[in-house]
Amino acid sequence: MNHQIIIVGSGGHAKVVADIVMLGGQFTIAGFLDDVHADRYGTRFFGSTVLGGTDLLASLGRQGVSHGFVAVGQWQARVTAAERLRASGLSLPVLRHPAATIARDVAAGDGTVFMAGAIVNPGTTLGTNVIVNTAASVDHDCEIGDAVHIAPGARLAGHVRVGRGAWVGIGAVVIDRVSIGAGAVIGAGAVVVKDIPDGVVAFGNPASVVRRVIDAETASL
Ligand SMILES: CC(C)(COP(=O)(O)OP(=O)(O)OC[C@H]1O[C@@H](n2cnc3c(N)ncnc32)[C@H](O)[C@@H]1OP(=O)(O)O)[C@@H](O)C(=O)NCCC(=O)NCCS
């Protein structure tokens, strides 16, 4: 019998995550939880139901739900919800779309997802709750921190380091051996050729720092 999994989040990103869960065939989706959009409670979503908020976790555990996954974009919210799942005794799997190409020695922390077309090459490590989004590539020997989001089509060369909670925007390019600071936001299409400090927004070609990150910045998914 399949394990039952609960997904936290009920937006577009949650839909993509749910699709990967279904393709894997290992889990049955027990429902979706959402602490932000109470108006969605009781509504149908991607073949299942938005059951309520994460206050339901204890009762879901008693009903046989053994696994959970957080599918929200904002990284602090993702980390908080993941901690809540773990504290409720649920296990967070690593999810991998069947069309993702992940080298055999790649180590990824729990709650991490590899979307369709993602490529991760040997020697790379990824923390917990990371998103390697559609068609993003992370080359050899990179260090990707917890709760990082590599957006669709972004490309990281070898030996790149990305700090906790950073967001590498859609289509950005990062040359080899560059470090991106914790909580940094790299704008769409940026070409990052030198280190980016913690907590700043940078974009352009070559990417330059334009300002500090505002708290709600990464709430876009
Ligand atoms: C970098 C980013 C966060 C900046 O957002 P912002 O501060 O709200 O920026 P604004 O939209 O107010 O734009 C401010 C200026 O910067 C420019 N700008 C914004 N993002 C830019 C980018 N990525 N590259 C070049 N210029 C950019 C705008 O054109 C604007 O220029 P102007 O003042 O001459 O008109 C955002 O534009 C971005 O690139 N987000 C990434 C989105 C993404 O990857 N989504 C994937 C979801 S899975």
PDB file of all heavy atoms in Angstrom, residues 133 149 151-152 167 169-170 185 187-188 201 203 211 217 221, ligand 1:
ATOM      1  N   ASN A 133      14.222  24.102  -9.846  1.00  0.00           N
ATOM      2  CA  ASN A 133      12.998  24.230 -10.629  1.00  0.00           C
ATOM      3  C   ASN A 133      13.196  23.764 -12.077  1.00  0.00           C
ATOM      4  O   ASN A 133      14.291  23.383 -12.487  1.00  0.00           O
ATOM      5  CB  ASN A 133      12.508  25.684 -10.537  1.00  0.00           C
ATOM      6  CG  ASN A 133      11.001  25.762 -10.426  1.00  0.00           C
ATOM      7  OD1 ASN A 133      10.299  25.002 -11.085  1.00  0.00           O
ATOM      8  ND2 ASN A 133      10.509  26.670  -9.608  1.00  0.00           N
ATOM      9  N   HIS A 149      16.208  28.424  -3.706  1.00  0.00           N
ATOM     10  CA  HIS A 149      15.362  28.188  -4.879  1.00  0.00           C
ATOM     11  C   HIS A 149      16.160  28.548  -6.130  1.00  0.00           C
ATOM     12  O   HIS A 149      16.526  29.715  -6.318  1.00  0.00           O
ATOM     13  CB  HIS A 149      14.083  29.039  -4.780  1.00  0.00           C
ATOM     14  CG  HIS A 149      13.193  28.915  -5.971  1.00  0.00           C
ATOM     15  ND1 HIS A 149      12.061  29.666  -6.113  1.00  0.00           N
ATOM     16  CD2 HIS A 149      13.243  28.132  -7.070  1.00  0.00           C
ATOM     17  CE1 HIS A 149      11.460  29.352  -7.252  1.00  0.00           C
ATOM     18  NE2 HIS A 149      12.167  28.424  -7.859  1.00  0.00           N
ATOM     19  N   ALA A 151      15.516  28.959  -9.762  1.00  0.00           N
ATOM     20  CA  ALA A 151      14.291  29.121 -10.560  1.00  0.00           C
ATOM     21  C   ALA A 151      14.442  28.480 -11.952  1.00  0.00           C
ATOM     22  O   ALA A 151      15.552  28.118 -12.364  1.00  0.00           O
ATOM     23  CB  ALA A 151      13.954  30.606 -10.668  1.00  0.00           C
ATOM     24  N   PRO A 152      13.336  28.375 -12.680  1.00  0.00           N
ATOM     25  CA  PRO A 152      13.388  27.694 -13.982  1.00  0.00           C
ATOM     26  C   PRO A 152      14.471  28.246 -14.901  1.00  0.00           C
ATOM     27  O   PRO A 152      14.643  29.467 -15.039  1.00  0.00           O
ATOM     28  CB  PRO A 152      11.988  27.966 -14.559  1.00  0.00           C
ATOM     29  CG  PRO A 152      11.114  28.079 -13.354  1.00  0.00           C
ATOM     30  CD  PRO A 152      11.955  28.774 -12.324  1.00  0.00           C
ATOM     31  N   TRP A 167      17.599  33.038  -3.624  1.00  0.00           N
ATOM     32  CA  TRP A 167      16.699  32.769  -4.751  1.00  0.00           C
ATOM     33  C   TRP A 167      17.431  33.187  -6.018  1.00  0.00           C
ATOM     34  O   TRP A 167      17.736  34.378  -6.189  1.00  0.00           O
ATOM     35  CB  TRP A 167      15.418  33.562  -4.559  1.00  0.00           C
ATOM     36  CG  TRP A 167      14.377  33.414  -5.630  1.00  0.00           C
ATOM     37  CD1 TRP A 167      14.202  32.368  -6.480  1.00  0.00           C
ATOM     38  CD2 TRP A 167      13.341  34.359  -5.944  1.00  0.00           C
ATOM     39  NE1 TRP A 167      13.130  32.590  -7.290  1.00  0.00           N
ATOM     40  CE2 TRP A 167      12.588  33.797  -6.988  1.00  0.00           C
ATOM     41  CE3 TRP A 167      12.988  35.606  -5.440  1.00  0.00           C
ATOM     42  CZ2 TRP A 167      11.488  34.454  -7.545  1.00  0.00           C
ATOM     43  CZ3 TRP A 167      11.894  36.258  -5.997  1.00  0.00           C
ATOM     44  CH2 TRP A 167      11.152  35.687  -7.028  1.00  0.00           C
ATOM     45  N   GLY A 169      17.052  33.768  -9.741  1.00  0.00           N
ATOM     46  CA  GLY A 169      15.890  34.006 -10.592  1.00  0.00           C
ATOM     47  C   GLY A 169      15.924  33.264 -11.925  1.00  0.00           C
ATOM     48  O   GLY A 169      16.961  32.755 -12.364  1.00  0.00           O
ATOM     49  N   ILE A 170      14.783  33.296 -12.556  1.00  0.00           N
ATOM     50  CA  ILE A 170      14.584  32.554 -13.803  1.00  0.00           C
ATOM     51  C   ILE A 170      15.629  32.967 -14.857  1.00  0.00           C
ATOM     52  O   ILE A 170      15.888  34.139 -15.080  1.00  0.00           O
ATOM     53  CB  ILE A 170      13.130  32.764 -14.297  1.00  0.00           C
ATOM     54  CG1 ILE A 170      12.800  31.845 -15.460  1.00  0.00           C
ATOM     55  CG2 ILE A 170      12.837  34.225 -14.629  1.00  0.00           C
ATOM     56  CD1 ILE A 170      11.288  31.698 -15.685  1.00  0.00           C
ATOM     57  N   VAL A 185      18.697  37.656  -3.533  1.00  0.00           N
ATOM     58  CA  VAL A 185      17.793  37.451  -4.675  1.00  0.00           C
ATOM     59  C   VAL A 185      18.554  37.848  -5.932  1.00  0.00           C
ATOM     60  O   VAL A 185      19.016  38.992  -6.052  1.00  0.00           O
ATOM     61  CB  VAL A 185      16.516  38.313  -4.548  1.00  0.00           C
ATOM     62  CG1 VAL A 185      15.674  38.236  -5.817  1.00  0.00           C
ATOM     63  CG2 VAL A 185      15.693  37.878  -3.341  1.00  0.00           C
ATOM     64  N   GLY A 187      18.188  38.475  -9.813  1.00  0.00           N
ATOM     65  CA  GLY A 187      17.096  38.778 -10.731  1.00  0.00           C
ATOM     66  C   GLY A 187      17.087  37.901 -11.973  1.00  0.00           C
ATOM     67  O   GLY A 187      18.106  37.305 -12.356  1.00  0.00           O
ATOM     68  N   ALA A 188      15.932  37.880 -12.615  1.00  0.00           N
ATOM     69  CA  ALA A 188      15.763  37.128 -13.847  1.00  0.00           C
ATOM     70  C   ALA A 188      16.850  37.509 -14.851  1.00  0.00           C
ATOM     71  O   ALA A 188      17.151  38.694 -15.030  1.00  0.00           O
ATOM     72  CB  ALA A 188      14.392  37.435 -14.424  1.00  0.00           C
ATOM     73  N   VAL A 201      19.542  42.222  -3.346  1.00  0.00           N
ATOM     74  CA  VAL A 201      19.000  41.943  -4.680  1.00  0.00           C
ATOM     75  C   VAL A 201      20.062  42.369  -5.687  1.00  0.00           C
ATOM     76  O   VAL A 201      20.613  43.476  -5.593  1.00  0.00           O
ATOM     77  CB  VAL A 201      17.713  42.756  -4.937  1.00  0.00           C
ATOM     78  CG1 VAL A 201      17.199  42.527  -6.357  1.00  0.00           C
ATOM     79  CG2 VAL A 201      16.641  42.401  -3.916  1.00  0.00           C
ATOM     80  N   PHE A 203      20.985  42.166 -10.031  1.00  0.00           N
ATOM     81  CA  PHE A 203      20.620  41.726 -11.389  1.00  0.00           C
ATOM     82  C   PHE A 203      21.444  42.459 -12.418  1.00  0.00           C
ATOM     83  O   PHE A 203      22.246  43.352 -12.095  1.00  0.00           O
ATOM     84  CB  PHE A 203      19.112  41.842 -11.651  1.00  0.00           C
ATOM     85  CG  PHE A 203      18.497  43.207 -11.450  1.00  0.00           C
ATOM     86  CD1 PHE A 203      18.799  44.265 -12.305  1.00  0.00           C
ATOM     87  CD2 PHE A 203      17.575  43.421 -10.439  1.00  0.00           C
ATOM     88  CE1 PHE A 203      18.212  45.515 -12.142  1.00  0.00           C
ATOM     89  CE2 PHE A 203      16.974  44.661 -10.259  1.00  0.00           C
ATOM     90  CZ  PHE A 203      17.301  45.717 -11.114  1.00  0.00           C
ATOM     91  N   ARG A 211      19.969  46.735  -4.244  1.00  0.00           N
ATOM     92  CA  ARG A 211      19.385  47.138  -2.952  1.00  0.00           C
ATOM     93  C   ARG A 211      19.381  45.940  -2.029  1.00  0.00           C
ATOM     94  O   ARG A 211      19.762  44.839  -2.423  1.00  0.00           O
ATOM     95  CB  ARG A 211      17.964  47.666  -3.136  1.00  0.00           C
ATOM     96  CG  ARG A 211      17.012  46.662  -3.745  1.00  0.00           C
ATOM     97  CD  ARG A 211      15.576  47.216  -3.810  1.00  0.00           C
ATOM     98  NE  ARG A 211      14.705  46.346  -4.584  1.00  0.00           N
ATOM     99  CZ  ARG A 211      14.118  45.251  -4.117  1.00  0.00           C
ATOM    100  NH1 ARG A 211      14.330  44.860  -2.875  1.00  0.00           N
ATOM    101  NH2 ARG A 211      13.331  44.516  -4.885  1.00  0.00           N
ATOM    102  N   GLU A 217       9.955  39.584  -0.191  1.00  0.00           N
ATOM    103  CA  GLU A 217      10.440  39.488  -1.567  1.00  0.00           C
ATOM    104  C   GLU A 217      10.155  38.163  -2.271  1.00  0.00           C
ATOM    105  O   GLU A 217       9.763  38.128  -3.423  1.00  0.00           O
ATOM    106  CB  GLU A 217      11.950  39.679  -1.578  1.00  0.00           C
ATOM    107  CG  GLU A 217      12.520  40.005  -2.933  1.00  0.00           C
ATOM    108  CD  GLU A 217      12.561  41.503  -3.151  1.00  0.00           C
ATOM    109  OE1 GLU A 217      13.174  42.213  -2.342  1.00  0.00           O
ATOM    110  OE2 GLU A 217      11.962  41.934  -4.125  1.00  0.00           O
ATOM    111  N   LEU A 221       5.532  32.699  -5.279  1.00  0.00           N
ATOM    112  CA  LEU A 221       5.043  31.467  -5.903  1.00  0.00           C
ATOM    113  C   LEU A 221       3.643  31.087  -5.436  1.00  0.00           C
ATOM    114  O   LEU A 221       3.331  31.330  -4.301  1.00  0.00           O
ATOM    115  CB  LEU A 221       5.990  30.310  -5.575  1.00  0.00           C
ATOM    116  CG  LEU A 221       7.318  30.355  -6.289  1.00  0.00           C
ATOM    117  CD1 LEU A 221       8.190  29.223  -5.802  1.00  0.00           C
ATOM    118  CD2 LEU A 221       7.138  30.249  -7.782  1.00  0.00           C
TER     119      LEU A 221
HETATM  120  C1  LIG B   1      15.074  41.346  -9.374  1.00  0.00           C
HETATM  121  C2  LIG B   1      13.622  41.532  -9.040  1.00  0.00           C
HETATM  122  C3  LIG B   1      13.296  40.743  -7.745  1.00  0.00           C
HETATM  123  C4  LIG B   1      13.457  43.024  -8.827  1.00  0.00           C
HETATM  124  O1  LIG B   1      12.147  43.301  -8.540  1.00  0.00           O
HETATM  125  P1  LIG B   1      11.749  44.812  -8.166  1.00  0.00           P
HETATM  126  O2  LIG B   1      12.667  45.380  -7.149  1.00  0.00           O
HETATM  127  O3  LIG B   1      10.280  44.770  -7.855  1.00  0.00           O
HETATM  128  O4  LIG B   1      12.057  45.593  -9.479  1.00  0.00           O
HETATM  129  P2  LIG B   1      11.076  46.516 -10.333  1.00  0.00           P
HETATM  130  O5  LIG B   1      10.134  45.662 -11.106  1.00  0.00           O
HETATM  131  O6  LIG B   1      10.512  47.586  -9.440  1.00  0.00           O
HETATM  132  O7  LIG B   1      12.102  47.183 -11.355  1.00  0.00           O
HETATM  133  C5  LIG B   1      13.008  48.179 -10.973  1.00  0.00           C
HETATM  134  C6  LIG B   1      13.913  48.454 -12.156  1.00  0.00           C
HETATM  135  O8  LIG B   1      14.822  47.360 -12.315  1.00  0.00           O
HETATM  136  C7  LIG B   1      14.653  46.749 -13.597  1.00  0.00           C
HETATM  137  N1  LIG B   1      14.753  45.306 -13.410  1.00  0.00           N
HETATM  138  C8  LIG B   1      13.993  44.529 -12.591  1.00  0.00           C
HETATM  139  N2  LIG B   1      14.390  43.252 -12.658  1.00  0.00           N
HETATM  140  C9  LIG B   1      15.395  43.215 -13.542  1.00  0.00           C
HETATM  141  C10 LIG B   1      16.188  42.156 -14.030  1.00  0.00           C
HETATM  142  N3  LIG B   1      16.023  40.903 -13.611  1.00  0.00           N
HETATM  143  N4  LIG B   1      17.152  42.458 -14.922  1.00  0.00           N
HETATM  144  C11 LIG B   1      17.326  43.745 -15.357  1.00  0.00           C
HETATM  145  N5  LIG B   1      16.599  44.787 -14.925  1.00  0.00           N
HETATM  146  C12 LIG B   1      15.633  44.515 -14.027  1.00  0.00           C
HETATM  147  C13 LIG B   1      13.274  47.184 -14.079  1.00  0.00           C
HETATM  148  O9  LIG B   1      13.197  47.165 -15.472  1.00  0.00           O
HETATM  149  C14 LIG B   1      13.174  48.564 -13.484  1.00  0.00           C
HETATM  150  O10 LIG B   1      13.927  49.437 -14.290  1.00  0.00           O
HETATM  151  P3  LIG B   1      13.459  50.971 -14.496  1.00  0.00           P
HETATM  152  O11 LIG B   1      13.537  51.588 -13.111  1.00  0.00           O
HETATM  153  O12 LIG B   1      14.479  51.508 -15.439  1.00  0.00           O
HETATM  154  O13 LIG B   1      12.087  50.919 -15.025  1.00  0.00           O
HETATM  155  C15 LIG B   1      12.676  41.000 -10.150  1.00  0.00           C
HETATM  156  O14 LIG B   1      12.562  41.910 -11.219  1.00  0.00           O
HETATM  157  C16 LIG B   1      13.115  39.659 -10.704  1.00  0.00           C
HETATM  158  O15 LIG B   1      13.948  39.562 -11.617  1.00  0.00           O
HETATM  159  N6  LIG B   1      12.558  38.567 -10.129  1.00  0.00           N
HETATM  160  C17 LIG B   1      12.845  37.217 -10.509  1.00  0.00           C
HETATM  161  C18 LIG B   1      11.551  36.538 -10.926  1.00  0.00           C
HETATM  162  C19 LIG B   1      11.713  35.052 -11.106  1.00  0.00           C
HETATM  163  O16 LIG B   1      12.785  34.523 -11.239  1.00  0.00           O
HETATM  164  N7  LIG B   1      10.597  34.350 -11.102  1.00  0.00           N
HETATM  165  C20 LIG B   1      10.619  32.914 -11.189  1.00  0.00           C
HETATM  166  C21 LIG B   1       9.503  32.341 -10.385  1.00  0.00           C
HETATM  167  S1  LIG B   1       9.586  30.586 -10.370  1.00  0.00           S
END
